[in-house]
DNA sequence: TAAATTAGTAACCATGCGGTTACGTAAATA
DNA sequence: TATTTACGTAACCGCATGGTTACTAATTTA
């Protein structure tokens, strides 16, 4: 894992999105996170490391345990990017098709 | 490119996000899309293919040109997922830190 | 009709990704 | 103190990813 990650890449993996969902509202040690998935604990550990590098989780040491919890604030970047296109699904009139029809009329 | 793609994966690549931005509000042939990036036309063609497979662009044939345009409606899925965490950045009181402090008080 | 333009795709390549097992270490427990 | 538990990480592996160049086909233009 050498690449510089951003939040968009972090949430591209469905397992990591599930982890974020799982750890929203509760702190869990790695072992308990891993028990929710059909993969080895080290695999989950790697996903948690990526989420940590992106600032999407917070960690608190508790004895030999590491308590992970979601910190979804960085998701704001994603939310803001998608929000720019909100009108495309929130408008009653289908904006895209209307625009395309307009282009066709202009024989673009 | 054999994998089944979802929207989250499609927007993980920064070039593809730029293409979506570029093609929002205007239709462009592949050549003109490619001229906006420092990579070959076939590379851009591949990105466009992925975006098409995810339904994030629409294509209209116009002679030997293919006019691409963004269809951002599928981004709603992403917007809805992030919206579940909106309170983490929209609240004045930092919800996460408050929750963590509460946990610590309980000596969890 | 011949040449140029536009675009898709095949073949290839280096690197990244997501998983595994094996191992080391720190902390808790018997 | 010896053992067990929790965790991180190194090493490895197969496949995906994202780029390239070379080629082909379709359409437009000279």
């Amino acid at each position: 894992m050498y690449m510089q990650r951003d939040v968009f890449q972090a949430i591209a993996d469905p397992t990591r999105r599930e982890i974020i969902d799982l750890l929203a509202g509760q702190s869990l040690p790695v072992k308990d996170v891993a028990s929710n998935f059909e993969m080895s604990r080290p695999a989950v550990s790697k996903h948690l490391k990526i989420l940590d590098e992106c600032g999407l989780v917070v960690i608190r040491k508790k004895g030999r345990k590491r308590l992970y919890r979601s910190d979804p604030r960085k998701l704001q970047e994603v939310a803001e990017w998608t929000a720019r296109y909100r009108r495309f699904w929130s408008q009653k009139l289908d904006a895209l098709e209307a625009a395309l029809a307009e282009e066709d009329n202009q024989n673009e």
Side-chain angles (χ1 to χ4, degrees), chain A residues 95-108:
Chain A
L96 175 73
E97 282 166 13
L100 288 178
E102 179 62 22
E103 280 184 13
D104 284 336
N105 287 341
Q106 295 169 0
N107 200 25
E108 169 211 4

Side-chain angles (χ1 to χ4, degrees), chain A residues 30-31 33-35 37-47:
Chain A
V30 178
K31 171 181 64 76
V33 176
S35 68
F37 298 92
E38 291 190 341
M39 65 181 68
S40 67
R41 181 193 50 76
V44 171
S45 237
K46 283 191 185 182
H47 283 305

Side-chain angles (χ1 to χ4, degrees), chain A residues 45-63:
Chain A
S45 237
K46 283 191 185 182
H47 283 305
L48 287 170
K49 184 179 185 180
I50 290 168
L51 292 173
D52 179 41
E53 285 168 358
C54 292
L56 284 167
V57 293
V58 288
I59 315 172
R60 284 175 302 148
K61 292 191 66 170
K62 200 93 174 184

